[in-house]
Structures are given as structure tokens and as C-alpha cells.
Amino acid sequence: MGHDTGTPEKRRALPTTTANGGRATTARVPRGRQIHRTFNNIKITVLCGLVTILVLRGYIGLNLGTSDADAVNRHLIEETNRILAEIRSDKEPDDPEDQSESEINPNVTYALGPKITNWDQERKVWLDQNQQFPSHVNGKPRILLVTGSPPGPCDNAIGDHYLLKGTKNKIDYCRLHGIEILYNMAHLDKELAGYWAKLPLIRRLLLSHPEVEWIWWMDSDALFTDMVFEIPLPKYDGYNMVIHGYPDLLFNQKSWIALNTGSFLFRNCQWSLDLLDEWAPMGPKGKIRDEAGKILTANLKGRPAFEADDQSALIYLLISKKDQWMNKVFVENSYYLHGYWAGLVDRYEEMIEKYHPGLGDERWPFITHFVGCKPCGSYGDYPVERCLSSMERAFNFADNQVLELYGFRHRGLLSPKIKRIRNETATPLEFVDQFDIRRPVHGSNGSRS
Amino acid sequence: MLDWCFGPQWRWRLKRFFRNGKVTILCLLLTVIVIRGNLGAGRFGTPQQDFIEIRDHFYSSGHRSEPRRVLEEAQTTATATTTNDGDSNSYEQFDINKILVDEGEDEKPDPNKPYTLGPKISDWDEQRAEWLEKNPNFPNFIGPNKPRVLLVTGSSPKPCENQVGDHYLLKSIKNKIDYCRLHGVEVFYNMALLDAEMAGFWAKLPLIRKLLLSHPEVEFLWWMDSDAMFTDMAFEVPWDRYKDHNFVMHGWDEMIYDQKNWIGLNTGSFLLRNCQWSLDILDAWAPMGPKGKVREEAGKILTRELKDRPVFEADDQSAMVYLLATQRDKWGEKVYLENAYYLHGYWGILVDRYEEMMENYHPGLGDHRWPLVTHFVGCKPCGKFGDYSVERCLKQMDRAFNFGDNQILQIYGFTHTTLASRRVKRTRNETSNPLEVKDELGLLHPAFKAVKVSSS
């Protein structure tokens, strides 16, 4: 600022402006001084103006483009919000409330369906008449893997993502071993909802598919981690149910986790239908399930207090009617038909180093089952980070076995990206012979139709 | 000295001091505001972030944080949503990026060499024939007119950006599993990016090539987009019709060869035979794919050459249209552009007619009366934004899913209460003679699943 040049003039100007402040003084103020003062005022005005604009710009945004995008954003947010709430809600707008369905009579034992007593004969007759749908294909019994999840979205998006990965994992195993998959998303029986929903479903499938020899139920939170291992079905020729568990825990300790109903096999026969009928009565929701839960908590070791679940009910049934049922139930623990995840997931690197797929046991678990994680819900029994990172590791551990045929592997057990482990060649078939899990080299059978 | 401090000069100096001070302070303020506006002041963030935080403070966090996760970048989400440290068992605010580890380096392609999908193979037919002979347990035909088919689909290994995207992917794969189980088709669900150069819609090319070469027993590879659903569970693809062709896509000859229309065919659902010709066409198709400059430039060529194509990078569909239109003599003979049934059915013209179809027609037709595939092009349920309204897309995907699912459920005596409802109701009571029950569509034990009865 040129205060030096203005000094002599100001000395004269100041007294006049402060004294009068009116029009009369303007004639006496020299021109140059006037201009200078005007400039000063303009400077300050411009600076103030700039400050205002910048403040406005920074906070509100004078750019018309951003305000448009904001409006569009807001509209999309509102619309998405509304739709997500609608999709998530249980209420169906067009669905008439089914009032005609009467309450379950607690005095009458719940039945899955009309009693069938000659299923073995009927099935045999059907198989004879329908030779084009045999129960054994290429020497192997026909297996149907059944799994499922609720029809609506999970409470959180990550739950659906892991359901998707779990499904891919099952598709991969079943493709390699000629097993069919049925993914259920329907509640066939309102009374038996939740973990009990598998009972009416299994019964329905046994009766509809006489060509299926074994029905294999698998929870949605169980992942295959040994892609080579095959269930040794000939071992179970005299049995009708194969379930993972420990006889000691079952009969001596009566523990509620002696068996695991997250992964088990049922032969398609009369015995299975009868067992399902005996198993179901504790299932109907409401008073029956709650009361049954109390009985189970009282009789099984370590069981917390909650409504009756299918696993505890089965254990209780097999303990109390041991003579009637146990001769046809194979309690398997020589391989992980169900492998509790917590003791397995940290050892994957060690397994990769020391062992190889095809063992199915603690050296290379057949199935890693994420009990308690409940990623489809809002809360699990374990910290979320531990659960999800373990599931990701198990998924990639299994996926590596599938990708090996194609010459790839995940960069790390937590990495979604893959890296090449074999260069492309002009004669790819030599590797197909070496690495395809279905090839005789690995000991498994040949084709499926 | 005293004279300088007090006296008439003093007031004048003071006034001058203040005037200069005013200007100085204004300049200082200006500078601070500019810096604050552009760089932010540490933990206070930029004014925009301030605004967002203030807005959130006044609105309930429950409502706003969810859609923000839908539509904003993951970084903003990570900074804005405060993690509840004491609540680590809750899935609500979990950020997947906390557990996924991005390690290793991407393969750096040689910029001087033109892109190839892999080493050139010229004798694939012979190699494959030899293999099939040595492996009679893996025939390429599983029935008299039934080739071994592998249905290939896939999605990203990371969670969808959209809140419900993964749920719709799950429903879509269940739908495909159902169709494939009924028709004896194998499924391959891909979640791996085999070649970083060919990311996005081009990712199917290296995957298809890899699968053809690794599965010589597969006769036809059926690529299907993740946003396409089967809506006719009873329709069996007429394999016999294609015995002299190697590539079957839904489309119209006139629209490709005469009009060069960019939507004259659809690469969201197509059949490709496992043979040398297919490897060659994949090699001819690939060059427009590598991301970056190549794809951008190719996009411009395609927009210029094809009818109605908007301006964007090269996509596999436009590239195929261009390839066929310009090299008809070379490829046209073995390409079958099918339009007698909906190998790909654009959802916009189909979804509103489902009730009418249920009233007037029956499954097994595969065409406009009862489409085989309903393809939700443009909906992008896994991404942030689609080309259509979110509500219309998601609701119609639900309807299409239920429309297909009803055909599966009726096998077991159930159906959805309405096309919009997740609930099911019984259509047939349980009986004590389950084997006498025949499902209407004959899908329980369909002819196309029958095993060859060995003459004994």
C-alpha cells in the first residue's frame, strides 16, 4: 500500500473528512487523493467479494453440475432405500394372509405327511419299470446333494456373497464327482421353518426321486475343502444313515454336539421315512418347539436353553431309542464329513506344505463347516472378522484345487486374485491327463452321464 | 518520541495502520479459506466432508449410512462409518476390504507384442479326437442326439457394490442349477479373472478358451451371463439343428450382415462347439479386447462402423458383430443366428407378459410364447448404477425367477403364491402313493435325462 505517497495529502484530507463528512468537502479534496481512496475502497471491496464467493463455493457449491449430481444421487438413495426395505420385509403386498390354516393341535403328534409303509417295495417296482432312471450309474449309487437358504436377502449383503461362494464351492465338488445338486429356497412347511425345514424337504425329495439312492443334506455354511476325496459308500452297505459324530459323546456323555446334522446322508428307503416321522414331532414352531427345547436342555449335556433344534432332537431320539435305530446309523469320524472350522482354518498352509488332497481327515479336511458364524444373519457367535476371513481362506483353499487343472492358483488364501502356475502350451491335453480330478490317475471313477 | 506517539500524527498513523490491517487481514482470511477449501485442515476434512458430517449428524445414522454404502466409494464408507469396536460379532458395518488381501503383482504384458489368448494351436481337432478315443469313459455325446454341454457363467470374486446384488446372483445361479439338473448339463461358475488385460465383459474369452482346452470331453460350451435366467424349464435346445454349425447366438442375419446393427446379436447367451474353428474365432475376436488404449480406439471404430452404437470402449458383442459383418466369408458359414426361440430374450418385452403366458401357453415352447431365457440386459444388479430404474429391474428379476421356479416347484406339488411373492403354497396334497403322481410338465423324470438302457 502506498502510504508514503499519500502522507502529505492525507495530513490535509483527514481533518476535512472527519470534520464535515459531507458534500461540501468533495470540492476541496484533490482529485488524485480521491482516486487513490477510491482504489483503496475498491481493493477492499474486491477482496471481501472474493472471500464471500470462496466461502460460498466451498460450502454450498455454485457449480450447477454438482448440484444436479447431488439431486440425482439423493433420488437414487431414496429409491434404493425404499426398494431394499420392501425386498427385505416379510410382508408381501399381494399375498393374502392365510387365515384359514388352523393352529396345530398340540395333542395330535405332528406328521410330515400321510404314513407310508411299503416304500421299499414301491421303490423297487418303480426302478424295475423305469430302467432308464437307474439308482446306480457307472457302478456308483446316485447321490442328490441338497442345500438351501432362505428366500429373502440376508440381513447384510456379505451374507449373500458367502452363500454365493458356498454354492460355487458345492457346484465344483459335485461336477467333479457326478453328484446332482438341489438348491432349495422355499419354505415347504410353515410349521417347520428354520433348521427344521430340511425334514419336509428331504421327505419330499425321497418320495419324488426313487432313482436317488442317497440324499446328502449339507448346510449352506459348510464348504468342501477336499475336492478329491470321495465318500466311501461301499462302507455303508448295511446302513441307512451316515452322520459325523463321536459315539462316546453320544452315549456316555449325552452331549448335544455328539452328532452334527449339518452334513449327513440318508438312504432312500422305508427306514429313513420312519426316522423322519419320529424326528419331526419336536419341530413345529411355537409352544411345541419351546417345550421340546426345555426337555432337550434338561437331558443333553452342555445344551444352552433355547427352542428345540433338529440336531439336539436327533441326538435325544437316538439315545432314548438306541435299540430301535442305532443299528442302521453309522456314526462316522474317520474323515471330516463335518469339520468344525475353528480347529482347521489356521492350518491350511501347513496342510498345503505337508499333505495332499484326497485324505479327507484332519490332514486335509473333507468339509469345513462354519458352525456359529451365521453370516446370513445380523450376529454370529464369533467375531465377524475371524469368521469371514476364515471362510474366505477355506473357499480359496478349495478353489485352488479346482484351478489347478487350469494352471492357476490364488495369490494367497485371502486374495481374490489368481496367478499363473503353469504356462500356456500348444498341447494342453497332457496336463488334463495329469491334473483332472476325475481322471483315473486320482483313483476316482470315470464319467457320469 | 513522545511527539510521535501522541499528537495529530498519531491518529493518522493509527488510521493508516487499521486500513492496512484491514486489507492484510482480508488477504490472510482469503488465503486460509482457499487452503482450507482445497486441502482440508487435518481431521476436519474439506468443507464437503464437513457438510456431509453435519447432515449425518442431524439425520438418523441408520437410514443414511446404508444407501451411502450403496452409492459411494468404499473409501468414504470406511472413513465415514465409525466402527463399533465393542460389537465385533455384528455383520452390519463390516467392510470386506479389511480381510481381502491384494498381494502379488499383475502380469505385465509386453507392449510390443500384439495380444494373444495363448500359444497358437492348429491341430486341436486331431488332438481332441485322439484324446476322446483314448478315454471312452468321457464321451462327448451322452445320448444319441445329446452332446455333453458345459454351461459357463460367473461373477466377481468380490462382493457386489449393490446391497442386494449378491442375492440376485444367488437366485440366478440357483435358477441355472435347476435347469441344468433337469437337462443333464454341467455347470461351471467362474469367479477368477484369468487375464487382467481382458477384464470386464471380455473376461469370458480367455475363460472359454481355457475351458475348451481343458475339457476335451465337452462338445458344446454354453456361455450365459449372470443376469440371464431360465424361464422355460422344459425346453430342450435342438442340438440336432446345429450339427453343421459351431457357433450359435441369438440374432438376425439381416441385422448383422445388412444393417451392421450393434444389437443384431447377443453374446450374453451362446453356444460354442469345442473345435479348432472355435479357437480360431476366439483368436480373431480377442484383439479389440485388451484394456486401455486398444479398447478405446477399437470402441471408436466400432461406433463408427456399426449402426446405432453409442460411444464407449469396445465390448465383445460389438466386436463380434463387426467381425461377422466384415469377414462373412470366413466365419459366416459356421455361425447360426438363432431366432426361432429365445436363446437370449430381452427382458423389457417379456416380463410384463408372464401372467398372460401362464394363462394361454405352457412351458416347452422356448419362444415368445414362453421364453427359454429372460436376459436382464442393462440392469446390472451387481453394480452401482444400471441403465434402468432399480425398482423395475429388481422387481422384474423376482418375477422372472419365480416364473421359472414355479416350473420346478410344481414337480413337487408347490407353487409361488404370486409371481411377486417369495412364499409358496401347495398345489397337490401329500398322498400315500407318491409314485403314482405325475407332474404336469413331465419334468420329474424327463426324457432328456434318461440314461441309455444297456442291452443285456
Side-chain angles (χ1 to χ4, degrees):
Chain A
M1 305 286 153
H3 38 261
D4 282 324
T5 48
T7 314
E9 284 119 356
K10 277 191 184 148
R11 209 183 291 146
R12 262 186 298 143
L14 279 169
T16 28
T17 48
T18 46
N20 297 326
R23 299 154 269 122
T25 53
T26 47
R28 298 241 315 258
V29 175
R31 203 62 176 289
R33 180 71 201 100
Q34 210 179 1
I35 294 171
H36 193 80
R37 199 171 60 195
T38 316
F39 268 131
N40 267 336
N41 288 338
I42 289 173
K43 257 190 272 184
I44 294 176
T45 314
V46 166
L47 275 170
C48 287
L50 263 174
V51 168
T52 316
I53 290 171
L54 277 168
V55 167
L56 280 173
R57 173 85 173 82
Y59 282 87
I60 300 173
L62 288 183
N63 187 347
L64 293 173
T66 38
S67 68
D68 262 350
D70 276 344
V72 168
N73 241 11
R74 236 177 300 124
H75 176 70
L76 271 160
I77 289 171
E78 275 157 22
E79 197 191 358
T80 316
N81 228 10
R82 187 175 53 83
I83 295 160
L84 294 180
E86 232 178 273
I87 291 176
R88 285 236 169 82
S89 75
D90 262 342
K91 236 183 343 154
E92 312 270 338
D94 303 343
D95 195 19
E97 282 296 325
D98 213 356
Q99 301 287 353
S100 58
E101 197 109 15
S102 54
E103 282 257 331
I104 284 278
N105 184 352
N107 294 331
V108 175
T109 311
Y110 174 82
L112 286 170
K115 184 84 185 142
I116 297 178
T117 45
N118 57 347
W119 179 239
D120 287 334
Q121 296 92 309
E122 285 195 22
R123 186 173 172 244
K124 187 167 184 311
V125 166
W126 189 94
L127 285 171
D128 285 337
Q129 288 173 348
N130 291 276
Q131 301 261 345
Q132 71 274 32
F133 293 98
S135 62
H136 286 65
V137 178
N138 289 320
K140 288 202 300 186
R142 206 191 280 262
I143 306 179
L144 178 67
L145 185 110
V146 184
T147 184
S149 61
C154 291
D155 291 350
N156 297 286
I158 199 72
D160 281 308
H161 181 70
Y162 280 97
L163 280 177
L164 184 68
K165 283 188 143 149
T167 307
K168 170 190 155 63
N169 172 277
K170 294 177 176 82
I171 291 175
D172 284 334
Y173 182 86
C174 292
R175 183 183 64 251
L176 293 170
H177 293 271
I179 296 173
E180 288 185 353
I181 305 182
L182 190 129
Y183 195 99
N184 180 52
M185 269 177 150
H187 286 137
L188 298 188
D189 192 329
K190 276 197 323 201
E191 292 298 316
L192 294 187
Y195 18 62
W196 287 95
K198 59 179 82 117
L199 267 69
L201 176 65
I202 292 175
R203 184 181 199 268
R204 179 72 264 152
L205 292 172
L206 287 171
L207 297 176
S208 298
H209 292 284
E211 75 276 13
V212 166
E213 182 66 21
W214 290 96
I215 288 223
W216 182 356
W217 167 265
M218 198 158 154
D219 276 356
S220 58
D221 56 359
L223 292 176
F224 284 103
T225 33
D226 190 337
M227 288 294 178
V228 175
F229 184 84
E230 228 174 63
I231 293 187
L233 284 172
K235 192 173 165 188
Y236 312 122
D237 266 343
Y239 296 88
N240 295 332
M241 183 179 191
V242 185
I243 188 165
H244 186 273
Y246 301 96
D248 173 62
L249 279 179
L250 182 60
F251 299 115
N252 300 345
Q253 298 191 39
K254 301 197 197 315
S255 160
W256 81 295
I257 48 170
L259 303 174
N260 188 284
T261 52
S263 171
F264 61 89
L265 289 102
F266 250 141
R267 194 188 288 274
N268 194 346
C269 57
Q270 181 64 46
W271 183 97
S272 302
L273 296 177
D274 295 338
L275 181 66
L276 284 169
D277 283 338
E278 284 259 353
W279 191 358
M282 284 191 172
K285 65 181 184 205
K287 203 160 175 295
I288 299 178
R289 210 187 279 187
D290 293 331
E291 292 298 313
K294 292 179 190 156
I295 300 173
L296 294 172
T297 307
N299 283 295
L300 299 179
K301 179 178 169 221
R303 187 182 194 272
F306 67 109
E307 57 176 19
D309 66 306
D310 62 305
Q311 182 172 300
S312 313
L314 181 68
I315 292 172
Y316 182 68
L317 171 64
L318 293 180
I319 294 175
S320 38
K321 298 195 177 165
K322 183 176 169 180
D323 303 322
Q324 189 180 348
W325 300 105
M326 278 316 291
N327 62 332
K328 292 290 187 182
V329 176
F330 195 109
V331 179
E332 176 67 81
N333 50 43
S334 66
Y335 61 89
Y336 279 132
L337 180 58
H338 138 85
Y340 174 57
W341 65 284
L344 298 169
V345 292
D346 297 314
R347 295 183 26 236
Y348 287 145
E349 280 86 359
E350 178 197 322
M351 293 172 192
I352 294 174
E353 209 180 329
K354 291 199 210 155
Y355 304 113
H356 57 86
L359 303 168
D361 51 22
E362 72 279 350
R363 294 168 296 172
W364 200 284
F366 182 34
I367 290 174
T368 304
H369 185 190
F370 289 86
V371 262
C373 274
K374 304 177 201 159
C376 198
S378 297
Y379 282 89
D381 301 336
Y382 302 92
V384 162
E385 202 167 324
R386 172 113 176 98
C387 265
L388 295 185
S389 64
S390 305
M391 288 174 86
E392 186 71 24
R393 280 164 57 81
F395 175 81
N396 289 338
F397 181 72
D399 202 29
N400 278 346
Q401 297 167 50
V402 176
L403 291 174
E404 188 171 17
L405 170 61
Y406 310 114
F408 289 92
R409 171 181 299 172
H410 284 265
R411 294 186 192 176
L413 285 185
L414 279 175
S415 171
K417 292 193 180 167
I418 57 175
K419 67 178 184 214
R420 207 178 269 286
I421 54 173
R422 240 180 14 248
N423 283 331
E424 298 279 340
T425 95
T427 52
L429 291 174
E430 58 193 8
F431 294 116
V432 166
D433 286 340
Q434 203 182 336
F435 290 107
D436 192 347
I437 290 174
R438 295 167 302 172
R439 312 284 290 108
V441 169
H442 284 266
S444 52
N445 236 326
S447 74
R448 308 115 1 256
S449 54
Chain B
M1 195 52 186
L2 278 170
D3 217 13
W4 181 86
C5 282
F6 303 104
Q9 269 206 9
W10 172 72
R11 264 188 317 177
W12 163 78
R13 275 186 207 276
L14 200 63
K15 281 202 176 142
R16 193 180 69 177
F17 174 71
F18 273 123
R19 191 169 54 233
N20 292 337
K22 255 190 283 183
V23 176
T24 314
I25 287 171
L26 274 170
C27 286
L28 209 64
L29 200 62
L30 197 68
T31 316
V32 166
I33 286 171
V34 168
I35 291 177
R36 172 90 173 73
N38 288 321
L39 299 178
R43 66 182 178 93
F44 293 115
T46 60
Q48 194 182 23
Q49 281 182 21
D50 279 353
F51 182 57
I52 291 167
E53 277 174 28
I54 291 170
R55 187 182 66 184
D56 284 322
H57 181 68
F58 285 124
Y59 289 88
S60 62
S61 56
H63 287 291
R64 288 285 165 171
S65 60
E66 211 178 57
R68 273 195 303 128
R69 251 189 304 139
V70 174
L71 296 169
E72 289 189 7
E73 298 287 16
Q75 303 146 294
T76 327
T77 314
T79 51
T81 54
T82 50
T83 46
N84 298 329
D85 287 325
D87 219 2
S88 56
N89 282 26
S90 165
Y91 286 98
E92 203 184 317
Q93 306 270 4
F94 190 78
D95 181 13
I96 190 71
N97 293 308
K98 279 209 271 186
I99 62 168
L100 293 181
V101 170
D102 212 355
E103 52 186 287
E105 276 180 21
D106 287 333
E107 284 176 11
K108 290 276 178 291
D110 187 348
N112 297 325
K113 289 203 298 197
Y115 179 79
T116 58
L117 286 169
K120 180 87 184 137
I121 298 178
S122 337
D123 60 342
W124 178 238
D125 287 333
E126 291 80 7
Q127 282 189 46
R128 186 170 172 247
E130 200 186 311
W131 189 94
L132 284 170
E133 222 180 282
K134 281 199 279 195
N135 292 279
N137 278 341
F138 291 92
N140 56 334
F141 274 79
I142 55 178
N145 276 325
K146 189 143 167 73
R148 192 190 294 265
V149 182
L150 180 68
L151 185 117
V152 184
T153 185
S155 61
S156 164
K158 291 195 173 172
C160 287
E161 289 163 7
N162 195 312
Q163 275 272 295
V164 287
D166 281 300
H167 178 69
Y168 285 93
L169 285 176
L170 183 68
K171 282 174 112 161
S172 176
I173 188 59
K174 170 195 155 56
N175 170 278
K176 294 178 176 83
I177 289 174
D178 284 332
Y179 181 90
C180 293
R181 183 179 65 252
L182 292 181
H183 292 262
V185 172
E186 289 177 11
V187 178
F188 187 91
Y189 197 95
N190 181 54
M191 272 179 157
L193 181 60
L194 267 60
D195 190 340
E197 285 290 297
M198 304 281 266
F201 18 62
W202 288 94
K204 60 176 79 115
L205 265 69
L207 174 67
I208 291 174
R209 184 180 199 267
K210 175 56 78 178
L211 288 172
L212 289 175
L213 296 178
S214 306
H215 292 285
E217 75 280 6
V218 166
E219 182 64 21
F220 267 106
L221 193 144
W222 186 347
W223 168 266
M224 200 155 155
D225 276 356
S226 59
D227 55 1
M229 290 206 210
F230 283 104
T231 33
D232 190 339
M233 293 293 177
F235 184 85
E236 171 81 356
V237 170
W239 303 106
D240 220 30
R241 195 183 297 179
Y242 311 127
K243 61 184 190 301
D244 296 323
H245 296 88
N246 295 335
F247 198 176
V248 184
M249 284 177 283
H250 185 271
W252 296 267
D253 282 330
E254 328 75 69
M255 282 181 81
I256 298 296
Y257 300 119
D258 301 333
Q259 293 178 34
K260 287 201 200 163
N261 195 319
W262 81 295
I263 48 169
L265 51 77
N266 189 283
T267 52
S269 172
F270 61 83
L271 305 165
L272 190 65
R273 194 184 290 275
N274 193 347
C275 58
Q276 181 63 47
W277 183 97
S278 301
L279 297 179
D280 294 338
I281 202 171
L282 285 171
D283 283 337
W285 193 2
M288 286 191 170
K291 66 180 186 207
K293 204 160 175 298
V294 174
R295 211 186 278 189
E296 298 284 343
E297 294 298 313
K300 292 178 191 160
I301 298 174
L302 293 172
T303 305
R304 198 182 62 224
E305 297 287 326
L306 301 179
K307 180 169 178 248
D308 292 343
R309 185 183 194 269
V311 177
F312 67 109
E313 55 177 18
D315 64 305
D316 59 312
Q317 183 171 302
S318 311
M320 177 49 67
V321 174
Y322 183 67
L323 181 66
L324 291 181
T326 51
Q327 296 182 40
R328 185 177 190 174
D329 312 319
K330 190 163 179 204
W331 306 108
E333 197 196 328
K334 292 289 187 183
V335 172
Y336 194 111
L337 290 177
E338 176 69 85
N339 46 51
Y341 63 91
Y342 277 132
L343 182 60
H344 139 85
Y346 171 58
W347 68 285
I349 55 172
L350 296 170
V351 289
D352 296 309
R353 294 182 29 233
Y354 286 146
E355 279 84 2
E356 178 200 320
M357 293 175 193
M358 292 195 312
E359 214 181 282
N360 298 329
Y361 303 115
H362 58 84
L365 303 167
D367 53 20
H368 63 279
R369 297 167 295 173
W370 200 287
L372 171 65
V373 172
T374 302
H375 186 189
F376 288 85
V377 262
C379 272
K380 301 178 198 156
C382 195
K384 280 191 206 173
F385 293 106
D387 305 330
Y388 301 92
S389 108
V390 172
E391 177 166 14
R392 176 141 169 89
C393 270
L394 297 185
K395 290 214 157 133
Q396 296 307 329
M397 287 177 84
D398 275 330
R399 279 164 53 84
F401 172 81
N402 286 345
F403 186 73
D405 199 32
N406 275 346
Q407 298 164 50
I408 302 292
L409 289 173
Q410 64 84 33
I411 302 176
Y412 305 109
F414 289 87
T415 188
H416 283 267
T417 50
T418 68
L419 277 189
S421 168
R422 296 197 282 261
R423 298 219 173 105
V424 301
K425 67 179 184 214
R426 225 176 248 289
T427 55
R428 256 192 342 254
N429 282 328
E430 295 278 342
T431 100
S432 48
N433 291 316
L435 291 175
E436 286 168 17
V437 174
K438 291 273 176 276
D439 73 295
E440 275 174 32
L441 303 175
L443 289 178
L444 187 50
H445 298 103
F448 29 77
K449 253 195 107 180
V451 166
K452 244 190 310 189
V453 179
S454 56
S455 49
S456 51

